[in-house]
Amino acid sequence: MFRTALRNVLAHKARLLMTVLAVMLGVAFVSGTLVFTDTLGNALRNQSAKSYDDVAVAVTTYADQRDEKTPGITAATLKKIQGLDGVDTATGRVSGFAGVADPDGKLIGNGWSNTGGNYSPGKNGKDSAYTFVDGTGPVAADRIALDKETAKRGEYHVGDRVRVATNGPVKEYTLSGVFTTEDGAVNAGGSLVLFDAEVAQKLYLRPGVFRDANVSAAPGVSAEKLLAEVKPLLPKDADAKTGQALADEQAKQIESGLSGLSTMLLAFAGIALFVGVFLIANTFTMLVAQRTKELALMRAVGASRRQVKRSVLIEAAVVGLIASVVGFAIGLGLAVGLRSAMSLLGGKIPAGPLVVSPTAVVAAFAVGVLITVLAAWLPARRAAKIPPVAAMSSVHATATVKSLVLRNSIGAVLTLLGAAGIVAGASRGGSSGRTVIAAGAFLALVGVIVLIPLLSRPVIALVRPLLKRLFGVSGKLAAQNAVRNPRRTGATASALAIGLTLVTGISVLGVTLGQAVDRMTTDNVKADYMVTMASGDPLDKSALAALEKADGVSAVSPQQATSLRVKDEYHSASAVTPGEVQKIFAITTLSGSLDSLGKGEIAVAEKTAKSNGWKTGDTLRVKFDDDKNGELKVGAVFEDNEFLSSVLMPKNIADQHGSLADIREVWLKMDGGATKANEQALVDALGNNPAMSIMDRQDIRDMFGGSVNLAMNIMYGLLAMALIIAVLGVVNTLAMSVFERQQEIGMLRAIGLDRRRVKRMIRLEAVVISLFGAVVGVALGMFLGWAIGHTLSSDIPDYALVIPWDRIAVFLVLAGIVGVLAALWPARSAAKLNMLTAIKTE
């Protein structure tokens, strides 16, 4: 039986090619994901460990320039650590944001990973954390050093003047050196600027104070012993660990961070394999049907049911093994490609070998072989049931009424349970509701797939008159062929239905959220521009002062973050400019007046006012950020605004109770609106600062809605593989259908159906099956999009479901095109059949 299985594989190479391709794609995705994440994780872990090679003890504090209560590591403390027996060096570190301008004045890097730090030379005059490839480290106030990649992108050389922005005005420094580093921020596509230690302390903390320290041990001294001696010298808020412990901790964080990426990619690989199951099952079902006589004859000459079943499963295992080998090789190439793609997108991945773990190999081959064998199990079971007497007939036994009734009953129950789960999850809302929807969606999808053969007859019957009217005999025959074998049609359409369900659901959800975000921006913002730091850090007070004096500004107000404590409960507050904030935001006042802000009163959002029982005219006993007590009167209650905190207070009051202004945003209204001239006026007012981000209303919409569009595009790309497998399924079904119907096609040719009409018949059959699967998928996808969106509606103001009919129309057109393309080869094969040879074919 083993030899028989191998012979069948070799005898049906062309027919099994599509199955091999489907399994191969799924295995490639699984193996590529595992190899890529293993390689990336290993490179990042090695980089992290390398950065702690010379660190015996790492000291971390929470010192903040904005909070003088956290002392940090003073020069005196660092000197005491340096004086300990067993200490080789003790280096203080301080860091913060530093943005470098390119020759055009634009920021080099992505903002959040643009950092600055101090250069701290040791006894040998070098800082062991950095290797200079040109020049030397900065040892004067007007000198800086740049990492090699930033210097290259900015076209800077030693001796050049470089414009650098921190949290204050832009300053120019002379480039003293260029270095290489294992710093993670640089490898993430950012930049690193090194300042003289005293300059860095003034910029990021306080003179003479460091935030962190790295201690290296003298030869023969253990890190644990050094840690025990260092700890008593540190301030209370400091945390000290051995370099190895910190490297291990970062390795765990890296692994945890990559697990999310790996899970997402494997989920899409699972979807692709799930779609592939239908292709594989369909292929083996048709192969078994075509070999009815052969299998029955084997039974007649003594083969047992178990042996027949085993021969089909062995055949599937061989196909799965071949596909796994090829898929694993492609997966290695995919991992290399993903690594290169990340580099092209600006993420510099540390150098390191391609890591092929035993887990990746075992998983890839297990998935490929097991999926194929499991998908072939039902066809193998049917093959084993073929009675020996079937060898006397050319017609394979059709499914019994009992089996069809059982199948349809199970499908109906699963579909109803799934639909009920989806509706229940939508009603519940929140993350728990989405979990229920996911379970319901799985049941509904499986149920619809089981029911698709039953649905195919009435649905295709609706379009049969149209096909006959438009395409004559070819259209009539195509419609009849599409429903001749409902199970085969259903299995083919199911693959497309799964893909279109996911694509449609994502589209409905994405467009709905995108338009909700757009409405939120349009309805709540009157401002023409929003100014922020590219790093996300607070703006300096000088930036606000400069913007207030800019040409063309008609209204300006900061969004200064602060808080109030009322009855031991904290409430976030926005410190704004009275009289200006109304011109910046569309604020609907429910009671009182926002003019009261000018009198030193506060305004409270509706939900906060209701939950606390506050109303206009109430006087609240509050505690400010500086722990001082006071009283504030509620001067107005306003409708909740997504761009404002729950409490608005005058900026001058916030300034009286805070050491430094936490200005996250500055909003501006300009004479003449958003124009190039007005934007340039803001750029000039800020001193052409590359670290300042100036966004108009469209940029603001893109900022909030961009993540939705990016997520949709990524998912479309990942789902493309599942759709490719679905297309292979259509090709495979048609090719085998043509093979089965050789005699019939020969008879049609003999009675006058020319080659052109034969091709049209096959193409129309493919289009009908593809559109049938697409319609089912679109309907289910819209249902899921509605349900998931309903769980988010409570968190999104003015949520309203949007059905993207234009995209859905595109999906249906593409499904028709898929049918036409999938039919090219089968239609050509059918038209080339020799009619006399075909008529003689059994």
Side-chain angles (χ1 to χ4, degrees), residues 611-641:
S611 63
N612 290 277
W614 301 339
K615 60 184 182 300
T616 301
D618 287 352
T619 299
L620 308 178
R621 292 282 300 172
V622 303
K623 181 172 283 190
F624 296 98
D625 280 345
D626 58 358
D627 289 334
K628 291 182 180 178
N629 295 313
E631 291 186 350
L632 289 173
K633 185 178 179 180
V634 178
V637 174
F638 62 93
E639 279 188 6
D640 288 78
N641 187 304

PDB file of all heavy atoms in Angstrom, residues 611-641:
ATOM      1  N   SER A 611     -20.769  62.743  37.886  1.00  0.00           N
ATOM      2  CA  SER A 611     -20.277  61.666  38.758  1.00  0.00           C
ATOM      3  C   SER A 611     -19.888  62.179  40.137  1.00  0.00           C
ATOM      4  O   SER A 611     -19.913  61.428  41.123  1.00  0.00           O
ATOM      5  CB  SER A 611     -19.077  60.977  38.106  1.00  0.00           C
ATOM      6  OG  SER A 611     -18.006  61.871  37.939  1.00  0.00           O
ATOM      7  N   ASN A 612     -19.522  63.466  40.246  1.00  0.00           N
ATOM      8  CA  ASN A 612     -19.118  64.024  41.536  1.00  0.00           C
ATOM      9  C   ASN A 612     -20.191  64.919  42.178  1.00  0.00           C
ATOM     10  O   ASN A 612     -20.000  65.419  43.288  1.00  0.00           O
ATOM     11  CB  ASN A 612     -17.840  64.837  41.376  1.00  0.00           C
ATOM     12  CG  ASN A 612     -16.628  63.979  41.083  1.00  0.00           C
ATOM     13  OD1 ASN A 612     -16.000  63.420  41.993  1.00  0.00           O
ATOM     14  ND2 ASN A 612     -16.296  63.842  39.802  1.00  0.00           N
ATOM     15  N   GLY A 613     -21.301  65.110  41.463  1.00  0.00           N
ATOM     16  CA  GLY A 613     -22.370  65.943  42.003  1.00  0.00           C
ATOM     17  C   GLY A 613     -22.036  67.419  42.022  1.00  0.00           C
ATOM     18  O   GLY A 613     -22.566  68.179  42.835  1.00  0.00           O
ATOM     19  N   TRP A 614     -21.149  67.853  41.107  1.00  0.00           N
ATOM     20  CA  TRP A 614     -20.783  69.275  41.053  1.00  0.00           C
ATOM     21  C   TRP A 614     -21.717  70.016  40.089  1.00  0.00           C
ATOM     22  O   TRP A 614     -22.220  69.453  39.120  1.00  0.00           O
ATOM     23  CB  TRP A 614     -19.345  69.460  40.566  1.00  0.00           C
ATOM     24  CG  TRP A 614     -18.324  68.782  41.426  1.00  0.00           C
ATOM     25  CD1 TRP A 614     -18.459  68.393  42.722  1.00  0.00           C
ATOM     26  CD2 TRP A 614     -16.990  68.420  41.028  1.00  0.00           C
ATOM     27  NE1 TRP A 614     -17.313  67.794  43.193  1.00  0.00           N
ATOM     28  CE2 TRP A 614     -16.372  67.812  42.157  1.00  0.00           C
ATOM     29  CE3 TRP A 614     -16.253  68.550  39.866  1.00  0.00           C
ATOM     30  CZ2 TRP A 614     -15.080  67.325  42.137  1.00  0.00           C
ATOM     31  CZ3 TRP A 614     -14.957  68.081  39.832  1.00  0.00           C
ATOM     32  CH2 TRP A 614     -14.372  67.471  40.962  1.00  0.00           C
ATOM     33  N   LYS A 615     -21.926  71.294  40.373  1.00  0.00           N
ATOM     34  CA  LYS A 615     -22.713  72.133  39.473  1.00  0.00           C
ATOM     35  C   LYS A 615     -22.154  73.550  39.483  1.00  0.00           C
ATOM     36  O   LYS A 615     -21.349  73.912  40.364  1.00  0.00           O
ATOM     37  CB  LYS A 615     -24.189  72.124  39.866  1.00  0.00           C
ATOM     38  CG  LYS A 615     -24.490  72.625  41.267  1.00  0.00           C
ATOM     39  CD  LYS A 615     -25.970  72.486  41.575  1.00  0.00           C
ATOM     40  CE  LYS A 615     -26.319  73.028  42.961  1.00  0.00           C
ATOM     41  NZ  LYS A 615     -25.613  72.353  44.049  1.00  0.00           N
ATOM     42  N   THR A 616     -22.565  74.315  38.514  1.00  0.00           N
ATOM     43  CA  THR A 616     -22.087  75.692  38.397  1.00  0.00           C
ATOM     44  C   THR A 616     -22.397  76.473  39.682  1.00  0.00           C
ATOM     45  O   THR A 616     -23.517  76.417  40.205  1.00  0.00           O
ATOM     46  CB  THR A 616     -22.753  76.385  37.203  1.00  0.00           C
ATOM     47  OG1 THR A 616     -22.440  75.652  36.021  1.00  0.00           O
ATOM     48  CG2 THR A 616     -22.247  77.814  37.044  1.00  0.00           C
ATOM     49  N   GLY A 617     -21.381  77.166  40.161  1.00  0.00           N
ATOM     50  CA  GLY A 617     -21.539  77.943  41.395  1.00  0.00           C
ATOM     51  C   GLY A 617     -20.956  77.266  42.613  1.00  0.00           C
ATOM     52  O   GLY A 617     -20.735  77.918  43.648  1.00  0.00           O
ATOM     53  N   ASP A 618     -20.688  75.942  42.536  1.00  0.00           N
ATOM     54  CA  ASP A 618     -20.096  75.222  43.677  1.00  0.00           C
ATOM     55  C   ASP A 618     -18.657  75.680  43.902  1.00  0.00           C
ATOM     56  O   ASP A 618     -17.931  75.994  42.952  1.00  0.00           O
ATOM     57  CB  ASP A 618     -20.106  73.718  43.428  1.00  0.00           C
ATOM     58  CG  ASP A 618     -21.495  73.117  43.530  1.00  0.00           C
ATOM     59  OD1 ASP A 618     -22.418  73.851  43.950  1.00  0.00           O
ATOM     60  OD2 ASP A 618     -21.666  71.927  43.175  1.00  0.00           O
ATOM     61  N   THR A 619     -18.251  75.691  45.165  1.00  0.00           N
ATOM     62  CA  THR A 619     -16.865  75.993  45.526  1.00  0.00           C
ATOM     63  C   THR A 619     -16.213  74.707  46.024  1.00  0.00           C
ATOM     64  O   THR A 619     -16.733  74.062  46.939  1.00  0.00           O
ATOM     65  CB  THR A 619     -16.785  77.081  46.602  1.00  0.00           C
ATOM     66  OG1 THR A 619     -17.383  78.279  46.091  1.00  0.00           O
ATOM     67  CG2 THR A 619     -15.339  77.365  46.971  1.00  0.00           C
ATOM     68  N   LEU A 620     -15.094  74.338  45.422  1.00  0.00           N
ATOM     69  CA  LEU A 620     -14.430  73.070  45.742  1.00  0.00           C
ATOM     70  C   LEU A 620     -13.153  73.321  46.529  1.00  0.00           C
ATOM     71  O   LEU A 620     -12.373  74.216  46.200  1.00  0.00           O
ATOM     72  CB  LEU A 620     -14.085  72.310  44.450  1.00  0.00           C
ATOM     73  CG  LEU A 620     -15.217  72.102  43.435  1.00  0.00           C
ATOM     74  CD1 LEU A 620     -14.675  71.371  42.203  1.00  0.00           C
ATOM     75  CD2 LEU A 620     -16.366  71.312  44.052  1.00  0.00           C
ATOM     76  N   ARG A 621     -12.971  72.503  47.568  1.00  0.00           N
ATOM     77  CA  ARG A 621     -11.713  72.502  48.305  1.00  0.00           C
ATOM     78  C   ARG A 621     -10.758  71.586  47.554  1.00  0.00           C
ATOM     79  O   ARG A 621     -11.032  70.396  47.365  1.00  0.00           O
ATOM     80  CB  ARG A 621     -11.926  71.975  49.728  1.00  0.00           C
ATOM     81  CG  ARG A 621     -12.763  72.879  50.619  1.00  0.00           C
ATOM     82  CD  ARG A 621     -11.957  74.056  51.138  1.00  0.00           C
ATOM     83  NE  ARG A 621     -10.797  73.612  51.921  1.00  0.00           N
ATOM     84  CZ  ARG A 621      -9.844  74.439  52.348  1.00  0.00           C
ATOM     85  NH1 ARG A 621      -9.893  75.730  52.029  1.00  0.00           N
ATOM     86  NH2 ARG A 621      -8.843  73.986  53.068  1.00  0.00           N
ATOM     87  N   VAL A 622      -9.634  72.138  47.087  1.00  0.00           N
ATOM     88  CA  VAL A 622      -8.723  71.368  46.241  1.00  0.00           C
ATOM     89  C   VAL A 622      -7.313  71.385  46.806  1.00  0.00           C
ATOM     90  O   VAL A 622      -6.943  72.269  47.592  1.00  0.00           O
ATOM     91  CB  VAL A 622      -8.706  71.920  44.789  1.00  0.00           C
ATOM     92  CG1 VAL A 622     -10.106  71.923  44.204  1.00  0.00           C
ATOM     93  CG2 VAL A 622      -8.100  73.314  44.744  1.00  0.00           C
ATOM     94  N   LYS A 623      -6.530  70.391  46.374  1.00  0.00           N
ATOM     95  CA  LYS A 623      -5.095  70.360  46.661  1.00  0.00           C
ATOM     96  C   LYS A 623      -4.378  70.365  45.319  1.00  0.00           C
ATOM     97  O   LYS A 623      -4.667  69.548  44.445  1.00  0.00           O
ATOM     98  CB  LYS A 623      -4.721  69.117  47.473  1.00  0.00           C
ATOM     99  CG  LYS A 623      -3.242  69.045  47.812  1.00  0.00           C
ATOM    100  CD  LYS A 623      -2.929  67.918  48.787  1.00  0.00           C
ATOM    101  CE  LYS A 623      -3.310  68.291  50.201  1.00  0.00           C
ATOM    102  NZ  LYS A 623      -2.830  67.337  51.202  1.00  0.00           N
ATOM    103  N   PHE A 624      -3.420  71.290  45.160  1.00  0.00           N
ATOM    104  CA  PHE A 624      -2.719  71.466  43.897  1.00  0.00           C
ATOM    105  C   PHE A 624      -1.513  70.521  43.805  1.00  0.00           C
ATOM    106  O   PHE A 624      -1.199  69.769  44.740  1.00  0.00           O
ATOM    107  CB  PHE A 624      -2.265  72.923  43.738  1.00  0.00           C
ATOM    108  CG  PHE A 624      -3.402  73.900  43.649  1.00  0.00           C
ATOM    109  CD1 PHE A 624      -3.822  74.606  44.777  1.00  0.00           C
ATOM    110  CD2 PHE A 624      -4.057  74.109  42.450  1.00  0.00           C
ATOM    111  CE1 PHE A 624      -4.870  75.520  44.685  1.00  0.00           C
ATOM    112  CE2 PHE A 624      -5.105  75.023  42.348  1.00  0.00           C
ATOM    113  CZ  PHE A 624      -5.516  75.727  43.480  1.00  0.00           C
ATOM    114  N   ASP A 625      -0.821  70.588  42.656  1.00  0.00           N
ATOM    115  CA  ASP A 625       0.347  69.729  42.435  1.00  0.00           C
ATOM    116  C   ASP A 625       1.448  69.949  43.464  1.00  0.00           C
ATOM    117  O   ASP A 625       2.221  69.034  43.765  1.00  0.00           O
ATOM    118  CB  ASP A 625       0.925  69.983  41.028  1.00  0.00           C
ATOM    119  CG  ASP A 625       0.121  69.255  39.953  1.00  0.00           C
ATOM    120  OD1 ASP A 625      -0.667  68.365  40.305  1.00  0.00           O
ATOM    121  OD2 ASP A 625       0.288  69.580  38.762  1.00  0.00           O
ATOM    122  N   ASP A 626       1.538  71.172  43.994  1.00  0.00           N
ATOM    123  CA  ASP A 626       2.580  71.452  44.980  1.00  0.00           C
ATOM    124  C   ASP A 626       2.116  71.149  46.404  1.00  0.00           C
ATOM    125  O   ASP A 626       2.753  71.584  47.376  1.00  0.00           O
ATOM    126  CB  ASP A 626       3.030  72.911  44.870  1.00  0.00           C
ATOM    127  CG  ASP A 626       1.865  73.885  45.079  1.00  0.00           C
ATOM    128  OD1 ASP A 626       0.723  73.420  45.269  1.00  0.00           O
ATOM    129  OD2 ASP A 626       2.099  75.104  45.033  1.00  0.00           O
ATOM    130  N   ASP A 627       1.002  70.403  46.523  1.00  0.00           N
ATOM    131  CA  ASP A 627       0.433  69.983  47.815  1.00  0.00           C
ATOM    132  C   ASP A 627      -0.134  71.143  48.637  1.00  0.00           C
ATOM    133  O   ASP A 627      -0.420  70.976  49.828  1.00  0.00           O
ATOM    134  CB  ASP A 627       1.466  69.215  48.659  1.00  0.00           C
ATOM    135  CG  ASP A 627       1.757  67.846  48.084  1.00  0.00           C
ATOM    136  OD1 ASP A 627       0.875  67.307  47.390  1.00  0.00           O
ATOM    137  OD2 ASP A 627       2.867  67.337  48.307  1.00  0.00           O
ATOM    138  N   LYS A 628      -0.312  72.293  48.038  1.00  0.00           N
ATOM    139  CA  LYS A 628      -0.950  73.411  48.722  1.00  0.00           C
ATOM    140  C   LYS A 628      -2.464  73.321  48.541  1.00  0.00           C
ATOM    141  O   LYS A 628      -2.953  72.896  47.496  1.00  0.00           O
ATOM    142  CB  LYS A 628      -0.435  74.741  48.186  1.00  0.00           C
ATOM    143  CG  LYS A 628       1.019  75.024  48.548  1.00  0.00           C
ATOM    144  CD  LYS A 628       1.460  76.375  48.038  1.00  0.00           C
ATOM    145  CE  LYS A 628       2.922  76.655  48.417  1.00  0.00           C
ATOM    146  NZ  LYS A 628       3.386  77.969  47.888  1.00  0.00           N
ATOM    147  N   ASN A 629      -3.196  73.712  49.588  1.00  0.00           N
ATOM    148  CA  ASN A 629      -4.650  73.668  49.543  1.00  0.00           C
ATOM    149  C   ASN A 629      -5.206  75.000  49.033  1.00  0.00           C
ATOM    150  O   ASN A 629      -4.566  76.053  49.143  1.00  0.00           O
ATOM    151  CB  ASN A 629      -5.224  73.371  50.929  1.00  0.00           C
ATOM    152  CG  ASN A 629      -4.841  71.982  51.411  1.00  0.00           C
ATOM    153  OD1 ASN A 629      -4.966  71.014  50.670  1.00  0.00           O
ATOM    154  ND2 ASN A 629      -4.371  71.873  52.645  1.00  0.00           N
ATOM    155  N   GLY A 630      -6.393  74.957  48.465  1.00  0.00           N
ATOM    156  CA  GLY A 630      -7.033  76.167  48.001  1.00  0.00           C
ATOM    157  C   GLY A 630      -8.490  75.915  47.682  1.00  0.00           C
ATOM    158  O   GLY A 630      -9.011  74.803  47.860  1.00  0.00           O
ATOM    159  N   GLU A 631      -9.165  76.927  47.217  1.00  0.00           N
ATOM    160  CA  GLU A 631     -10.567  76.827  46.827  1.00  0.00           C
ATOM    161  C   GLU A 631     -10.735  77.334  45.401  1.00  0.00           C
ATOM    162  O   GLU A 631     -10.149  78.341  45.013  1.00  0.00           O
ATOM    163  CB  GLU A 631     -11.453  77.655  47.770  1.00  0.00           C
ATOM    164  CG  GLU A 631     -11.553  77.086  49.179  1.00  0.00           C
ATOM    165  CD  GLU A 631     -12.553  77.858  50.038  1.00  0.00           C
ATOM    166  OE1 GLU A 631     -13.008  78.935  49.570  1.00  0.00           O
ATOM    167  OE2 GLU A 631     -12.892  77.386  51.142  1.00  0.00           O
ATOM    168  N   LEU A 632     -11.520  76.590  44.635  1.00  0.00           N
ATOM    169  CA  LEU A 632     -11.811  76.983  43.255  1.00  0.00           C
ATOM    170  C   LEU A 632     -13.319  76.891  43.018  1.00  0.00           C
ATOM    171  O   LEU A 632     -13.960  75.924  43.448  1.00  0.00           O
ATOM    172  CB  LEU A 632     -11.079  76.081  42.257  1.00  0.00           C
ATOM    173  CG  LEU A 632      -9.558  76.241  42.167  1.00  0.00           C
ATOM    174  CD1 LEU A 632      -8.967  75.170  41.266  1.00  0.00           C
ATOM    175  CD2 LEU A 632      -9.190  77.630  41.658  1.00  0.00           C
ATOM    176  N   LYS A 633     -13.856  77.858  42.354  1.00  0.00           N
ATOM    177  CA  LYS A 633     -15.283  77.895  42.066  1.00  0.00           C
ATOM    178  C   LYS A 633     -15.558  77.332  40.678  1.00  0.00           C
ATOM    179  O   LYS A 633     -14.825  77.608  39.730  1.00  0.00           O
ATOM    180  CB  LYS A 633     -15.795  79.337  42.158  1.00  0.00           C
ATOM    181  CG  LYS A 633     -17.308  79.473  41.997  1.00  0.00           C
ATOM    182  CD  LYS A 633     -17.726  80.943  42.147  1.00  0.00           C
ATOM    183  CE  LYS A 633     -19.229  81.102  41.953  1.00  0.00           C
ATOM    184  NZ  LYS A 633     -19.652  82.515  42.098  1.00  0.00           N
ATOM    185  N   VAL A 634     -16.611  76.517  40.552  1.00  0.00           N
ATOM    186  CA  VAL A 634     -17.019  75.978  39.261  1.00  0.00           C
ATOM    187  C   VAL A 634     -17.788  77.072  38.523  1.00  0.00           C
ATOM    188  O   VAL A 634     -18.902  77.448  38.930  1.00  0.00           O
ATOM    189  CB  VAL A 634     -17.900  74.719  39.425  1.00  0.00           C
ATOM    190  CG1 VAL A 634     -18.345  74.212  38.052  1.00  0.00           C
ATOM    191  CG2 VAL A 634     -17.142  73.630  40.169  1.00  0.00           C
ATOM    192  N   GLY A 635     -17.206  77.583  37.460  1.00  0.00           N
ATOM    193  CA  GLY A 635     -17.833  78.673  36.723  1.00  0.00           C
ATOM    194  C   GLY A 635     -18.622  78.207  35.522  1.00  0.00           C
ATOM    195  O   GLY A 635     -19.426  78.967  34.973  1.00  0.00           O
ATOM    196  N   ALA A 636     -18.406  76.950  35.082  1.00  0.00           N
ATOM    197  CA  ALA A 636     -19.120  76.451  33.898  1.00  0.00           C
ATOM    198  C   ALA A 636     -19.058  74.931  33.861  1.00  0.00           C
ATOM    199  O   ALA A 636     -18.126  74.309  34.388  1.00  0.00           O
ATOM    200  CB  ALA A 636     -18.524  77.040  32.620  1.00  0.00           C
ATOM    201  N   VAL A 637     -20.069  74.345  33.238  1.00  0.00           N
ATOM    202  CA  VAL A 637     -20.082  72.907  32.930  1.00  0.00           C
ATOM    203  C   VAL A 637     -20.219  72.787  31.412  1.00  0.00           C
ATOM    204  O   VAL A 637     -21.087  73.434  30.814  1.00  0.00           O
ATOM    205  CB  VAL A 637     -21.250  72.184  33.644  1.00  0.00           C
ATOM    206  CG1 VAL A 637     -21.320  70.729  33.185  1.00  0.00           C
ATOM    207  CG2 VAL A 637     -21.094  72.259  35.154  1.00  0.00           C
ATOM    208  N   PHE A 638     -19.338  71.977  30.785  1.00  0.00           N
ATOM    209  CA  PHE A 638     -19.337  71.882  29.323  1.00  0.00           C
ATOM    210  C   PHE A 638     -19.417  70.425  28.877  1.00  0.00           C
ATOM    211  O   PHE A 638     -19.125  69.501  29.648  1.00  0.00           O
ATOM    212  CB  PHE A 638     -18.077  72.544  28.743  1.00  0.00           C
ATOM    213  CG  PHE A 638     -16.782  71.901  29.169  1.00  0.00           C
ATOM    214  CD1 PHE A 638     -16.186  70.901  28.395  1.00  0.00           C
ATOM    215  CD2 PHE A 638     -16.141  72.282  30.350  1.00  0.00           C
ATOM    216  CE1 PHE A 638     -14.994  70.317  28.785  1.00  0.00           C
ATOM    217  CE2 PHE A 638     -14.948  71.691  30.752  1.00  0.00           C
ATOM    218  CZ  PHE A 638     -14.376  70.701  29.966  1.00  0.00           C
ATOM    219  N   GLU A 639     -19.857  70.248  27.633  1.00  0.00           N
ATOM    220  CA  GLU A 639     -19.907  68.897  27.062  1.00  0.00           C
ATOM    221  C   GLU A 639     -18.488  68.350  26.935  1.00  0.00           C
ATOM    222  O   GLU A 639     -17.560  69.080  26.589  1.00  0.00           O
ATOM    223  CB  GLU A 639     -20.561  68.915  25.677  1.00  0.00           C
ATOM    224  CG  GLU A 639     -22.067  68.941  25.713  1.00  0.00           C
ATOM    225  CD  GLU A 639     -22.662  68.757  24.318  1.00  0.00           C
ATOM    226  OE1 GLU A 639     -21.886  68.509  23.368  1.00  0.00           O
ATOM    227  OE2 GLU A 639     -23.889  68.868  24.190  1.00  0.00           O
ATOM    228  N   ASP A 640     -18.333  67.052  27.203  1.00  0.00           N
ATOM    229  CA  ASP A 640     -17.017  66.424  27.113  1.00  0.00           C
ATOM    230  C   ASP A 640     -16.416  66.634  25.725  1.00  0.00           C
ATOM    231  O   ASP A 640     -17.098  66.491  24.705  1.00  0.00           O
ATOM    232  CB  ASP A 640     -17.128  64.937  27.410  1.00  0.00           C
ATOM    233  CG  ASP A 640     -17.393  64.668  28.884  1.00  0.00           C
ATOM    234  OD1 ASP A 640     -18.561  64.841  29.318  1.00  0.00           O
ATOM    235  OD2 ASP A 640     -16.452  64.319  29.606  1.00  0.00           O
ATOM    236  N   ASN A 641     -15.126  66.968  25.709  1.00  0.00           N
ATOM    237  CA  ASN A 641     -14.391  67.215  24.479  1.00  0.00           C
ATOM    238  C   ASN A 641     -13.160  66.317  24.484  1.00  0.00           C
ATOM    239  O   ASN A 641     -12.384  66.312  25.447  1.00  0.00           O
ATOM    240  CB  ASN A 641     -13.979  68.696  24.400  1.00  0.00           C
ATOM    241  CG  ASN A 641     -13.349  69.063  23.071  1.00  0.00           C
ATOM    242  OD1 ASN A 641     -12.367  68.467  22.646  1.00  0.00           O
ATOM    243  ND2 ASN A 641     -13.920  70.069  22.420  1.00  0.00           N
TER     244      ASN A 641
END
